[in-house]
Amino acid sequence: MEIVYFAGGCLWGVQAFIKTLPGVQFTEAGRANGTSQTLDGEYDGYAECVKTGFDPKVVTMKELMGYFFEIIDPYSLNKQGQDVGEKYRTGVYSEKPEHLIEAKAFISERNDHDLIVVEVLPLTNYVRSAEEHQDRLARCPNDYCHIPEEILSRYK
């Protein structure tokens, strides 16, 4: 199993979508690349993200990028749907350099690559989100989500 972190705006919908994908073995809501090891205190530069454990024999990083691009606006800086702010930026983070190479290749192969504002960076810090944010849409399906229901349930 390999692990990659996807930031696509509010993590509730991102987690709900990613956990339905083939080859994904687990997801966890969290915060990527902030400067703190705690959930308390001032905003520390993190991006809301979904820690994603996947089987590379079933789904490739390139395929995961394709799925990810189904749920984000890759041209929008620090905004997805009604969620606005630096913590809602889009990004792909990993401790494995090969994942970052593959993510960058996916973006550079697109005709619109020069317009895309998705970060692709090494994971420098990860903090698990509070329990209330884990699988939030499964428990509270009427909460706001920037991803349309027909996309959220596309791979169920």
Side-chain angles (χ1 to χ4, degrees), residues 19-40:
K19 68 190 232 177
T20 68
L21 300 178
V24 171
Q25 297 182 340
F26 80 88
T27 61
E28 180 179 88
R31 298 175 173 186
N33 288 3
T35 58
S36 171
Q37 292 297 323
T38 178
L39 298 174
D40 301 324

PDB file of all heavy atoms in Angstrom, residues 19-40:
ATOM      1  N   LYS A  19     -12.949   7.836  -1.114  1.00  0.00           N
ATOM      2  CA  LYS A  19     -13.116   6.508  -0.506  1.00  0.00           C
ATOM      3  C   LYS A  19     -13.920   5.549  -1.381  1.00  0.00           C
ATOM      4  O   LYS A  19     -13.915   4.347  -1.134  1.00  0.00           O
ATOM      5  CB  LYS A  19     -13.700   6.620   0.899  1.00  0.00           C
ATOM      6  CG  LYS A  19     -15.102   7.093   0.975  1.00  0.00           C
ATOM      7  CD  LYS A  19     -15.457   7.386   2.420  1.00  0.00           C
ATOM      8  CE  LYS A  19     -16.704   6.679   2.821  1.00  0.00           C
ATOM      9  NZ  LYS A  19     -17.024   6.880   4.226  1.00  0.00           N
ATOM     10  N   THR A  20     -14.582   6.054  -2.440  1.00  0.00           N
ATOM     11  CA  THR A  20     -15.340   5.184  -3.345  1.00  0.00           C
ATOM     12  C   THR A  20     -14.511   4.689  -4.525  1.00  0.00           C
ATOM     13  O   THR A  20     -14.993   3.875  -5.316  1.00  0.00           O
ATOM     14  CB  THR A  20     -16.573   5.926  -3.918  1.00  0.00           C
ATOM     15  OG1 THR A  20     -16.141   6.966  -4.801  1.00  0.00           O
ATOM     16  CG2 THR A  20     -17.452   6.484  -2.821  1.00  0.00           C
ATOM     17  N   LEU A  21     -13.287   5.162  -4.661  1.00  0.00           N
ATOM     18  CA  LEU A  21     -12.487   4.850  -5.846  1.00  0.00           C
ATOM     19  C   LEU A  21     -11.895   3.443  -5.787  1.00  0.00           C
ATOM     20  O   LEU A  21     -11.516   2.961  -4.721  1.00  0.00           O
ATOM     21  CB  LEU A  21     -11.372   5.875  -6.006  1.00  0.00           C
ATOM     22  CG  LEU A  21     -11.825   7.325  -6.181  1.00  0.00           C
ATOM     23  CD1 LEU A  21     -10.607   8.250  -6.271  1.00  0.00           C
ATOM     24  CD2 LEU A  21     -12.728   7.486  -7.383  1.00  0.00           C
ATOM     25  N   PRO A  22     -11.775   2.797  -6.944  1.00  0.00           N
ATOM     26  CA  PRO A  22     -11.150   1.478  -6.970  1.00  0.00           C
ATOM     27  C   PRO A  22      -9.708   1.573  -6.481  1.00  0.00           C
ATOM     28  O   PRO A  22      -8.991   2.511  -6.806  1.00  0.00           O
ATOM     29  CB  PRO A  22     -11.203   1.076  -8.444  1.00  0.00           C
ATOM     30  CG  PRO A  22     -11.601   2.285  -9.213  1.00  0.00           C
ATOM     31  CD  PRO A  22     -12.158   3.276  -8.257  1.00  0.00           C
ATOM     32  N   GLY A  23      -9.304   0.596  -5.688  1.00  0.00           N
ATOM     33  CA  GLY A  23      -7.927   0.546  -5.208  1.00  0.00           C
ATOM     34  C   GLY A  23      -7.645   1.349  -3.957  1.00  0.00           C
ATOM     35  O   GLY A  23      -6.585   1.196  -3.354  1.00  0.00           O
ATOM     36  N   VAL A  24      -8.587   2.201  -3.558  1.00  0.00           N
ATOM     37  CA  VAL A  24      -8.386   2.985  -2.337  1.00  0.00           C
ATOM     38  C   VAL A  24      -8.755   2.107  -1.144  1.00  0.00           C
ATOM     39  O   VAL A  24      -9.859   1.578  -1.068  1.00  0.00           O
ATOM     40  CB  VAL A  24      -9.218   4.283  -2.359  1.00  0.00           C
ATOM     41  CG1 VAL A  24      -9.185   4.976  -0.999  1.00  0.00           C
ATOM     42  CG2 VAL A  24      -8.690   5.221  -3.437  1.00  0.00           C
ATOM     43  N   GLN A  25      -7.820   1.953  -0.216  1.00  0.00           N
ATOM     44  CA  GLN A  25      -8.026   1.062   0.917  1.00  0.00           C
ATOM     45  C   GLN A  25      -8.430   1.796   2.188  1.00  0.00           C
ATOM     46  O   GLN A  25      -9.077   1.223   3.044  1.00  0.00           O
ATOM     47  CB  GLN A  25      -6.769   0.234   1.146  1.00  0.00           C
ATOM     48  CG  GLN A  25      -6.483  -0.657  -0.046  1.00  0.00           C
ATOM     49  CD  GLN A  25      -5.275  -1.540   0.150  1.00  0.00           C
ATOM     50  OE1 GLN A  25      -4.417  -1.280   0.984  1.00  0.00           O
ATOM     51  NE2 GLN A  25      -5.204  -2.597  -0.636  1.00  0.00           N
ATOM     52  N   PHE A  26      -8.029   3.059   2.318  1.00  0.00           N
ATOM     53  CA  PHE A  26      -8.486   3.852   3.453  1.00  0.00           C
ATOM     54  C   PHE A  26      -8.311   5.333   3.170  1.00  0.00           C
ATOM     55  O   PHE A  26      -7.532   5.725   2.311  1.00  0.00           O
ATOM     56  CB  PHE A  26      -7.754   3.472   4.759  1.00  0.00           C
ATOM     57  CG  PHE A  26      -6.387   4.093   4.897  1.00  0.00           C
ATOM     58  CD1 PHE A  26      -6.222   5.360   5.469  1.00  0.00           C
ATOM     59  CD2 PHE A  26      -5.273   3.425   4.462  1.00  0.00           C
ATOM     60  CE1 PHE A  26      -4.963   5.925   5.589  1.00  0.00           C
ATOM     61  CE2 PHE A  26      -4.014   3.982   4.589  1.00  0.00           C
ATOM     62  CZ  PHE A  26      -3.856   5.235   5.149  1.00  0.00           C
ATOM     63  N   THR A  27      -9.090   6.135   3.885  1.00  0.00           N
ATOM     64  CA  THR A  27      -8.954   7.590   3.823  1.00  0.00           C
ATOM     65  C   THR A  27      -9.001   8.129   5.248  1.00  0.00           C
ATOM     66  O   THR A  27      -9.585   7.509   6.139  1.00  0.00           O
ATOM     67  CB  THR A  27     -10.076   8.254   3.000  1.00  0.00           C
ATOM     68  OG1 THR A  27     -11.337   7.970   3.617  1.00  0.00           O
ATOM     69  CG2 THR A  27     -10.080   7.779   1.552  1.00  0.00           C
ATOM     70  N   GLU A  28      -8.409   9.308   5.413  1.00  0.00           N
ATOM     71  CA  GLU A  28      -8.444   9.989   6.706  1.00  0.00           C
ATOM     72  C   GLU A  28      -8.409  11.486   6.445  1.00  0.00           C
ATOM     73  O   GLU A  28      -7.592  11.962   5.664  1.00  0.00           O
ATOM     74  CB  GLU A  28      -7.235   9.572   7.541  1.00  0.00           C
ATOM     75  CG  GLU A  28      -7.171  10.232   8.900  1.00  0.00           C
ATOM     76  CD  GLU A  28      -5.958   9.762   9.686  1.00  0.00           C
ATOM     77  OE1 GLU A  28      -4.887  10.379   9.524  1.00  0.00           O
ATOM     78  OE2 GLU A  28      -6.100   8.773  10.440  1.00  0.00           O
ATOM     79  N   ALA A  29      -9.308  12.212   7.094  1.00  0.00           N
ATOM     80  CA  ALA A  29      -9.336  13.666   6.973  1.00  0.00           C
ATOM     81  C   ALA A  29      -8.193  14.264   7.778  1.00  0.00           C
ATOM     82  O   ALA A  29      -7.928  13.836   8.903  1.00  0.00           O
ATOM     83  CB  ALA A  29     -10.676  14.196   7.483  1.00  0.00           C
ATOM     84  N   GLY A  30      -7.521  15.269   7.192  1.00  0.00           N
ATOM     85  CA  GLY A  30      -6.412  15.875   7.904  1.00  0.00           C
ATOM     86  C   GLY A  30      -5.986  17.220   7.348  1.00  0.00           C
ATOM     87  O   GLY A  30      -6.708  17.847   6.565  1.00  0.00           O
ATOM     88  N   ARG A  31      -4.802  17.620   7.765  1.00  0.00           N
ATOM     89  CA  ARG A  31      -4.215  18.903   7.382  1.00  0.00           C
ATOM     90  C   ARG A  31      -2.791  18.657   6.900  1.00  0.00           C
ATOM     91  O   ARG A  31      -2.001  18.047   7.609  1.00  0.00           O
ATOM     92  CB  ARG A  31      -4.179  19.850   8.583  1.00  0.00           C
ATOM     93  CG  ARG A  31      -5.548  20.179   9.132  1.00  0.00           C
ATOM     94  CD  ARG A  31      -5.429  21.024  10.381  1.00  0.00           C
ATOM     95  NE  ARG A  31      -6.738  21.485  10.819  1.00  0.00           N
ATOM     96  CZ  ARG A  31      -6.924  22.330  11.813  1.00  0.00           C
ATOM     97  NH1 ARG A  31      -5.887  22.831  12.486  1.00  0.00           N
ATOM     98  NH2 ARG A  31      -8.136  22.700  12.151  1.00  0.00           N
ATOM     99  N   ALA A  32      -2.490  19.152   5.722  1.00  0.00           N
ATOM    100  CA  ALA A  32      -1.163  18.967   5.142  1.00  0.00           C
ATOM    101  C   ALA A  32      -0.351  20.248   5.169  1.00  0.00           C
ATOM    102  O   ALA A  32      -0.870  21.335   4.892  1.00  0.00           O
ATOM    103  CB  ALA A  32      -1.277  18.492   3.695  1.00  0.00           C
ATOM    104  N   ASN A  33       0.921  20.091   5.493  1.00  0.00           N
ATOM    105  CA  ASN A  33       1.939  21.121   5.344  1.00  0.00           C
ATOM    106  C   ASN A  33       1.713  22.405   6.127  1.00  0.00           C
ATOM    107  O   ASN A  33       2.159  23.476   5.708  1.00  0.00           O
ATOM    108  CB  ASN A  33       2.203  21.416   3.863  1.00  0.00           C
ATOM    109  CG  ASN A  33       2.956  20.264   3.206  1.00  0.00           C
ATOM    110  OD1 ASN A  33       3.222  19.244   3.839  1.00  0.00           O
ATOM    111  ND2 ASN A  33       3.295  20.424   1.953  1.00  0.00           N
ATOM    112  N   GLY A  34       1.059  22.284   7.272  1.00  0.00           N
ATOM    113  CA  GLY A  34       1.041  23.402   8.209  1.00  0.00           C
ATOM    114  C   GLY A  34       2.333  23.382   9.011  1.00  0.00           C
ATOM    115  O   GLY A  34       3.208  22.534   8.777  1.00  0.00           O
ATOM    116  N   THR A  35       2.453  24.279   9.953  1.00  0.00           N
ATOM    117  CA  THR A  35       3.679  24.347  10.751  1.00  0.00           C
ATOM    118  C   THR A  35       3.495  23.802  12.159  1.00  0.00           C
ATOM    119  O   THR A  35       4.456  23.671  12.897  1.00  0.00           O
ATOM    120  CB  THR A  35       4.179  25.797  10.847  1.00  0.00           C
ATOM    121  OG1 THR A  35       3.152  26.608  11.425  1.00  0.00           O
ATOM    122  CG2 THR A  35       4.564  26.335   9.479  1.00  0.00           C
ATOM    123  N   SER A  36       2.269  23.450  12.526  1.00  0.00           N
ATOM    124  CA  SER A  36       1.964  23.005  13.887  1.00  0.00           C
ATOM    125  C   SER A  36       1.671  21.512  13.916  1.00  0.00           C
ATOM    126  O   SER A  36       1.277  20.923  12.911  1.00  0.00           O
ATOM    127  CB  SER A  36       0.737  23.785  14.393  1.00  0.00           C
ATOM    128  OG  SER A  36       0.272  23.259  15.602  1.00  0.00           O
ATOM    129  N   GLN A  37       1.831  20.908  15.072  1.00  0.00           N
ATOM    130  CA  GLN A  37       1.467  19.501  15.274  1.00  0.00           C
ATOM    131  C   GLN A  37       0.126  19.375  15.988  1.00  0.00           C
ATOM    132  O   GLN A  37      -0.257  18.281  16.392  1.00  0.00           O
ATOM    133  CB  GLN A  37       2.555  18.794  16.097  1.00  0.00           C
ATOM    134  CG  GLN A  37       3.858  18.640  15.356  1.00  0.00           C
ATOM    135  CD  GLN A  37       3.727  17.767  14.121  1.00  0.00           C
ATOM    136  OE1 GLN A  37       2.993  16.792  14.102  1.00  0.00           O
ATOM    137  NE2 GLN A  37       4.428  18.144  13.069  1.00  0.00           N
ATOM    138  N   THR A  38      -0.590  20.494  16.131  1.00  0.00           N
ATOM    139  CA  THR A  38      -1.845  20.488  16.875  1.00  0.00           C
ATOM    140  C   THR A  38      -2.968  21.079  16.028  1.00  0.00           C
ATOM    141  O   THR A  38      -2.723  21.783  15.058  1.00  0.00           O
ATOM    142  CB  THR A  38      -1.691  21.290  18.195  1.00  0.00           C
ATOM    143  OG1 THR A  38      -2.938  21.305  18.874  1.00  0.00           O
ATOM    144  CG2 THR A  38      -1.240  22.715  17.939  1.00  0.00           C
ATOM    145  N   LEU A  39      -4.197  20.786  16.431  1.00  0.00           N
ATOM    146  CA  LEU A  39      -5.370  21.368  15.766  1.00  0.00           C
ATOM    147  C   LEU A  39      -5.752  22.705  16.393  1.00  0.00           C
ATOM    148  O   LEU A  39      -6.596  23.415  15.859  1.00  0.00           O
ATOM    149  CB  LEU A  39      -6.558  20.402  15.863  1.00  0.00           C
ATOM    150  CG  LEU A  39      -6.380  19.042  15.197  1.00  0.00           C
ATOM    151  CD1 LEU A  39      -7.562  18.147  15.504  1.00  0.00           C
ATOM    152  CD2 LEU A  39      -6.183  19.188  13.699  1.00  0.00           C
ATOM    153  N   ASP A  40      -5.139  23.042  17.507  1.00  0.00           N
ATOM    154  CA  ASP A  40      -5.469  24.267  18.234  1.00  0.00           C
ATOM    155  C   ASP A  40      -4.625  25.438  17.739  1.00  0.00           C
ATOM    156  O   ASP A  40      -3.571  25.245  17.144  1.00  0.00           O
ATOM    157  CB  ASP A  40      -5.224  24.068  19.736  1.00  0.00           C
ATOM    158  CG  ASP A  40      -6.053  22.933  20.293  1.00  0.00           C
ATOM    159  OD1 ASP A  40      -7.203  22.754  19.851  1.00  0.00           O
ATOM    160  OD2 ASP A  40      -5.539  22.203  21.173  1.00  0.00           O
TER     161      ASP A  40
END
